[in-house]
Amino acid sequence: MWINGLVAVALVLIDQTFKNYISSNLPLGHVREIIPGLISITNLRNDGAAWSILEGNQSLFLIITLVALGALGYILFLKRDSWSFNVGIWLMIAGTIGNFIDRLRLHYVVDMFQLDFINFPIFNIADMCLTFGVIVLFIAIIRDDSE
């Protein structure tokens, strides 16, 4: 379990480092193509959730984040012997903390990855951790026949 925790810390550090790099080296709103027609990097400030839902409600997001971290910690305790639950929960914790740091420090979340081939919210590494964590957790729940 502690290895998953170390990986989560590393993911938060990578997320914060990349956000800082993008904020410092790419003008706000500027788009730089990485793979034409597939993915671009941009510097976007998002004070809402995906698609800027509930924008400007930082207090609400901070409360939701604290509740989510508490719930994730509780599930982690309950399922401490399940490798797949551990991986999914630690990924979700890493993503939650990565965006939480932005909200506390900047009052918005720095997003940068833009999928050019589909109408999809611009996202960051913390968002990827959350998404993959949910997928792993979903698979773990489906496979868990103990309850």
Side-chain angles (χ1 to χ4, degrees), residues 14 42 65-66 75 78 80 92 99-100 111 126 140 146:
I14 291 167
T42 188
T65 299
L66 293 174
I75 295 168
L78 290 178
R80 62 187 168 274
M92 292 173 67
N99 285 337
F100 186 65
D111 288 328
S146 64

Side-chain angles (χ1 to χ4, degrees), residues 14-16 18-19 22-23 26 30 34 38-46 48-52 95 98-99 102-103 109-132:
I14 291 167
D15 172 67
Q16 290 298 302
F18 200 76
K19 287 174 178 176
I22 292 298
S23 295
L26 196 64
H30 184 78
I34 301 300
L38 189 62
I39 190 165
S40 297
I41 299 289
T42 188
N43 181 1
L44 179 73
R45 295 177 179 173
N46 184 359
W51 283 291
S52 297
N99 285 337
D102 282 9
R103 290 187 193 284
V109 173
V110 176
D111 288 328
M112 74 279 302
F113 297 109
Q114 178 175 318
L115 300 178
D116 298 329
F117 62 94
I118 190 172
N119 181 21
F120 193 78
I122 298 171
F123 56 96
N124 58 46
I125 293 170
D127 296 335
M128 287 189 280
C129 289
L130 283 163
T131 300
F132 290 125

